[in-house]
């Protein structure tokens, strides 16, 4: 039964997430008691979501019962998304939630800094200068001072710059410096209004053979300062091996395709001591006080005695029998002098007492969202599922006391329900990730309040405070207002209750490209999230650009209604750019200009993303040849949309849809990013693509990773590598200046490589058949020139091209040269 409890719990995490009120099992309660009696903190440091060693996090959390934190410098915004086309800020939202889901499984806690993942960096100097090293260092120092880790573990080695992602090495360099600076009161003194200096006891490097040439090289290295720790532990109480828990946690990184299968047996992890005193491998905390003595208060012995007895005498069938001793310990702890440990253990004890009582506390709505200033019905449930004497003193919703819920004795197993109405304050912030409320800088998110900068999200944005009396002791327990409904398939479903602007103004596309003077139509979607009055919509065209109609009026009839308005946009004669920004004004002169997007993935909570609405308009000197393009779906990108903007007819295919009959009518076929990495079907569909080329077609394959290819990507020998050029300003050499790709139908010049974003490209080829022609050469500073970013060949009567250039980033960013170069690739074979 204990195993079933945990497996059910893990499933619950994946389906219902954090919105559901806690329903801990007796096994989980007992684990919490053991954590309560352990005073030890660990912080694991790396650069990105998915960098963390979930085996080590699970081991510290489950074996030692230590408070274990993973701090990722970035939210992974610069990576790729195997689940869809949501990139950049939206990918950062997704990966933040994936990390939170992972921590719920391995028992850890999650933190960040303000650093933005700006893409692959070959050395730490670039990363640190781009981020503004001092700002990220300050965030890391604050996290250490706030969370007081005794042990810090670096995922990467600070002594080996250039051997891995520059962000990786930078994370280790910053951790080494923060280890010393966190205790220095002269370092970042502005933080000392909120925290106090803190000196961790030890810092380690989580070493492994994969940081070496091979296993033999690792075995022959100097291991005098290394600890070899066997993490192959089976936890009988929960029926899982440490590696199984780690695999479940790792598998939450679904946007990166990091699903893992659990293993059993011995698992050795290596920790190299960098600073501090070397303990034994059997007890990493042997030089650290981890008992209640650490409270440094004369009451600690009494508190410890009560809680050790609770641990020794815990009754799995009757957890409520622990409540008297827990309440006594809580009363004594309240009398202790204020300290970091008092604050933490008070919070842990409160939730533990509620868990032992089986107390169910919930405040829910039956509405998905509302607006500031609106009223909403709230349904409150309080149920005492034990024989413990509990009184509900009051309920405060968003700070306002509900008069009808007052001084109620909660009889055993009697459900108490109330319905009340609350008004959302006019100044209530919208449900947007807090780090995106201000326009980010180039490489740092803007978060003014120091205390927010490390947080993964703001919890309890709509707080419901329950004042209780349990065994004669007062407790204030806070829950967040949630949206709950019944789904015919999934049953009970919890979601975030959202605060949204009354109207969303969203263009059907983010960018429009004009090659001539002809007007184009674009659709503006106006969605009603609470507007009850007429709205006037205005735009901001310049004298060069013309938008028709110039203004319009809208009146909604129903909630969730979307009115689709067609706009006619006429470009100027000359090259020009404009960000078209609609504004909706109501009768009171209040202006709305936001776009609401909902990120709805099955493995994480539903998230809203609210940003200013705009449409990027670009008048571009670009010519095209050919008419029809087939786009084979890859891991998720907006390149097909960009091809549409060039004026082509585009049909999007899945891999399974590929057939000779379908392809023969297309002037070009483009394969989406990483398609050969993720679709097994290419193993038997590739020949159809190669025959299309042989019969006169034009096939363009975008980048795939060198590892994990399902089959060959080219009809002729071509090998992929991890080579890339990360400097988006790198000079580009024209190796085949007379080739049609650089001349037809557009003359490509160095100016077409200006204003690129994040990188030039990635996963270039490093070996290819001599029948290929290398079109471009480029290099990062102090590195050899790379010639494998754009390779093309004739094959039969047609053309095959492989490109590692990051079109998937450049086109959505409106990089004009990328559109012109893509037009030439699509036009290949039409020179005559």
């Amino acid at each position: 039964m204990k195993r079933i409890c945990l497996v059910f719990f893990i499933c619950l995490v994946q389906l219902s997430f954090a919105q559901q009120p806690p329903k801990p099992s007796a096994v989980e309660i007992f684990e919490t008691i053991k954590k309560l009696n352990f005073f030890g903190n660990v912080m694991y440091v790396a650069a990105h979501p998915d960098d963390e060693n979930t085996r080590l996090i699970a081991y510290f959390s489950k074996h030692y019962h230590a408070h274990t934190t993973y701090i990722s410098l970035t939210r992974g915004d610069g990576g790729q998304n195997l689940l869809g086309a949501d990139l950049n800020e939206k990918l950062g939202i997704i990966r933040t939630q994936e990390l939170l889901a992972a921590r719920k499984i391995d028992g850890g806690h999650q933190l960040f800094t303000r650093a933005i993942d700006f893409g692959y960096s070959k050395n730490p100097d670039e990363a640190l200068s781009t981020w503004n090293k001092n700002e990220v260092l300050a965030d890391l120092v604050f996290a250490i001072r706030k969370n007081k880790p005794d042990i810090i573990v670096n995922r990467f080695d600070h002594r080996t710059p250039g051997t891995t992602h520059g962000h990786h090495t930078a994370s280790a360099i910053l951790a080494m410096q923060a280890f010393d600076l966190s205790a220095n009161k002269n370092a970042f003194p502005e933080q000392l209004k909120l925290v106090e200096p803190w000196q961790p006891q030890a810092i380690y490097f989580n070493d492994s053979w994969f940081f070496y040439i091979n296993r033999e090289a690792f075995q022959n290295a100097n291991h005098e300062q290394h600890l070899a720790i066997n993490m192959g532990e089976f936890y009988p109480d929960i029926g899982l091996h440490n590696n199984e828990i780690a695999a479940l946690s790792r598998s939450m990184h679904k946007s990166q395709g990091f699903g893992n299968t659990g293993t059993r047996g011995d698992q050795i992890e290596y920790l190299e001591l960098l600073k501090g005193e070397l303990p034994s491998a059997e007890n990493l905390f042997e030089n650290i006080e981890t008992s209640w003595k650490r409270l440094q208060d004369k009451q600690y012995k009494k508190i410890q005695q009560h809680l050790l007895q609770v641990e020794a005498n815990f009754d799995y069938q009757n957890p409520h029998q622990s409540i008297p001793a827990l309440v006594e310990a809580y009363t004594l702890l309240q009398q202790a002098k204020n300290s970091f440990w008092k604050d933490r253990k008070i919070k842990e004890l409160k939730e533990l007492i509620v868990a032992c009582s089986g107390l169910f506390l919930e405040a829910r709505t039956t509405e998905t969202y509302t607006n500031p200033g609106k009223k909403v019905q709230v349904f409150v449930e309080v149920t005492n599922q034990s024989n413990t004497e509990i009184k509900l003193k009051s309920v405060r919703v968003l700070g306002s006391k509900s008069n009808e819920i007052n001084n109620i004795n909660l009889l055993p197993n009697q459900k108490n329900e109330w319905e009340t109405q609350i008004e959302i304050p006019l100044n209530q912030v919208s449900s947007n990730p807090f780090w995106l409320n201000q326009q980010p800088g180039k490489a740092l998110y803007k978060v003014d309040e120091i205390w927010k900068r490390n947080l993964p999200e703001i919890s309890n944005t709509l707080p419901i405070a329950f004042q209780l009396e349990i065994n004669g002791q007062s407790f204030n327990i806070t829950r967040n207002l949630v949206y709950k409904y019944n789904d015919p398939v999934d049953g009970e479903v919890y979601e975030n209750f959202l605060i949204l602007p009354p109207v969303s103004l969203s263009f059907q596309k983010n960018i429009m490209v004009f090659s001539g003077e002809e007007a184009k139509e674009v659709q503006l979607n106006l969605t009603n999230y609470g507007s009850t009055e007429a709205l006037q919509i205005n735009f901001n065209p310049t004298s060069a650009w013309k938008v028709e109609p110039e203004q319009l009026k809208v009146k909604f009839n129903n909630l969730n209604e979307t009115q689709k308005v067609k706009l006619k946009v006429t470009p100027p004669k000359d090259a020009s750019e404009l960000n078209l920004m609609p504004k909706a004004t109501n009768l009171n002169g209040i202006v709305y200009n936001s776009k609401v997007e909902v990120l709805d993935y099955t493995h994480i909570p539903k998230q809203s993303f609210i940003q200013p609405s705009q449409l990027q308009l670009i008048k571009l000197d670009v010519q095209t040849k050919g008419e029809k393009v087939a786009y084979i779906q890859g891991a998720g990108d907006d390149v097909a949309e960009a091809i549409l903007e060039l004026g082509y007819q585009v049909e999007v295919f899945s891999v399974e849809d590929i057939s000779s009959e379908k392809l023969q009518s297309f002037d070009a076929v483009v394969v989406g990013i990483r398609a050969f990495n993720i679709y097994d079907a290419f193993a038997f569909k590739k020949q159809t693509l190669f025959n299309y080329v042989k019969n006169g077609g034009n096939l363009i394959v975008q980048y795939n990773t060198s590892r994990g290819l399902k089959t060959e990507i080219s009809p002729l020998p071509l090998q992929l590598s991890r080579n890339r050029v990360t400097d988006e300003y790198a000079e580009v050499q024209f190796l085949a200046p007379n080739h049609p790709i650089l001349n037809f139908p557009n003359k490509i010049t160095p100016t077409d490589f200006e204003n690129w974003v994040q990188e030039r490209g990635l996963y270039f080829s490093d070996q290819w058949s001599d029948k290929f022609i290398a079109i471009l050469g480029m290099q990062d500073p102090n590195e050899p020139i790379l010639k494998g970013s754009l390779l093309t060949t004739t094959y039969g009567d047609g053309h095959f091209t492989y490109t590692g250039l990051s079109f998937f980033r450049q086109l959505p960013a409106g990089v004009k040269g990328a559109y012109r170069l893509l037009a030439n690739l699509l036009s290949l074979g039409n020179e005559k």
Side-chain angles (χ1 to χ4, degrees), residues 156-284:
F156 301 103
D157 192 344
H158 67 287
R159 300 159 297 190
T160 55
T163 60
T164 182
H165 195 321
H167 296 183
H168 293 168
T169 311
S171 72
I173 291 172
L174 290 170
M176 291 296 291
Q177 295 178 7
F179 180 85
D180 295 326
L181 290 175
S182 59
N184 183 349
K185 66 181 180 180
N186 295 317
F188 310 110
E190 69 280 1
Q191 298 179 0
L192 301 183
K193 296 177 182 178
L194 300 171
V195 291
E196 59 188 10
W198 175 254
Q199 180 58 63
Q201 297 299 301
I203 184 168
Y204 298 89
F205 161 46
N206 185 190
D207 205 355
S208 172
W209 70 267
F210 57 70
F211 290 115
Y212 294 73
I213 298 173
N214 51 40
R215 292 180 185 270
E216 183 180 359
F218 175 64
Q219 292 169 356
N220 294 332
N222 184 350
H223 293 307
E224 288 182 5
Q225 293 295 100
H226 280 64
L227 297 171
I229 305 168
N230 187 356
M231 299 189 179
E233 184 167 350
F234 175 70
Y235 305 112
D237 275 0
I238 57 179
L240 290 175
H241 190 282
N242 193 79
N243 291 349
E244 292 178 298
I245 297 172
L248 289 167
S249 172
R250 184 75 170 165
S251 297
M252 294 311 299
H253 294 298
K254 298 184 187 302
S255 65
Q256 304 302 293
F258 281 153
N260 262 19
T261 298
T263 61
R264 288 142 296 280
D266 290 346
Q267 175 70 51
I268 305 300
E269 289 287 343
Y270 298 91
L271 295 180
E272 179 190 358
L273 183 70
L274 301 175
K275 293 183 180 182
E277 185 178 348
L278 193 68
S280 67
E282 288 70 35
N283 184 8
L284 293 170

Side-chain angles (χ1 to χ4, degrees), residues 542-579:
T542 64
S543 56
W545 292 85
K546 185 177 180 182
V547 177
E548 300 174 281
E550 294 182 358
Q551 65 179 38
L552 53 101
K553 292 187 182 296
V554 171
K555 181 78 164 65
F556 294 107
N557 297 313
N558 301 295
L559 275 177
N560 301 316
E561 175 188 354
T562 296
Q563 295 192 18
K564 300 176 181 179
V565 178
K566 295 290 186 181
L567 301 176
K568 182 180 177 183
V569 179
T570 305
K573 293 182 179 180
D574 301 322
S576 177
E577 290 186 52
L578 173 70
N579 284 331

Side-chain angles (χ1 to χ4, degrees), residues 626-630 648-651 662 665-669 692:
E627 295 179 354
K628 295 178 64 180
V629 175
Y648 288 96
Q649 301 172 43
V650 179
E651 187 170 343
K662 285 188 175 182
S665 65
F666 290 95
D667 299 293
V669 175
Y692 161 78

Side-chain angles (χ1 to χ4, degrees), residues 565-620:
V565 178
K566 295 290 186 181
L567 301 176
K568 182 180 177 183
V569 179
T570 305
K573 293 182 179 180
D574 301 322
S576 177
E577 290 186 52
L578 173 70
N579 284 331
L580 188 65
M581 295 180 288
K583 294 182 179 180
T585 307
N586 68 14
L587 298 175
N588 296 320
I590 299 175
V591 176
Y592 305 108
N593 62 351
S594 295
K595 171 178 67 173
V596 177
E597 296 182 78
V598 176
L599 305 179
D600 192 4
Y601 290 81
T602 57
H603 67 299
I604 58 174
K606 187 181 291 186
Q607 304 290 306
S608 56
F609 178 44
I610 305 168
Q611 295 291 284
S613 177
Q614 63 179 27
L615 170 65
Q616 187 177 5
L617 303 175
I618 299 176
K619 173 62 186 302
L620 179 63

Side-chain angles (χ1 to χ4, degrees), residues 695-706:
N695 294 328
N698 177 21
L699 176 62
I700 302 160
V701 174
Q702 297 179 86
Y703 97 90
N704 285 260
T705 62
S706 55

Side-chain angles (χ1 to χ4, degrees), residues 657-672:
D657 291 334
I658 295 174
S659 69
S660 298
E661 293 75 20
K662 285 188 175 182
L663 296 184
Q664 64 183 356
S665 65
F666 290 95
D667 299 293
V669 175
V670 181
V671 180

Side-chain angles (χ1 to χ4, degrees), residues 1-13 23-29 237-240 316:
M1 287 300 294
K2 292 176 184 177
R3 181 188 176 102
I4 293 172
C5 284
L6 185 78
V7 172
F8 174 75
F9 166 70
I10 289 172
C11 291
L12 196 64
V13 166
K23 299 177 183 177
S25 68
V27 172
E28 294 168 82
I29 290 172
D237 275 0
I238 57 179
L240 290 175
Y316 281 80

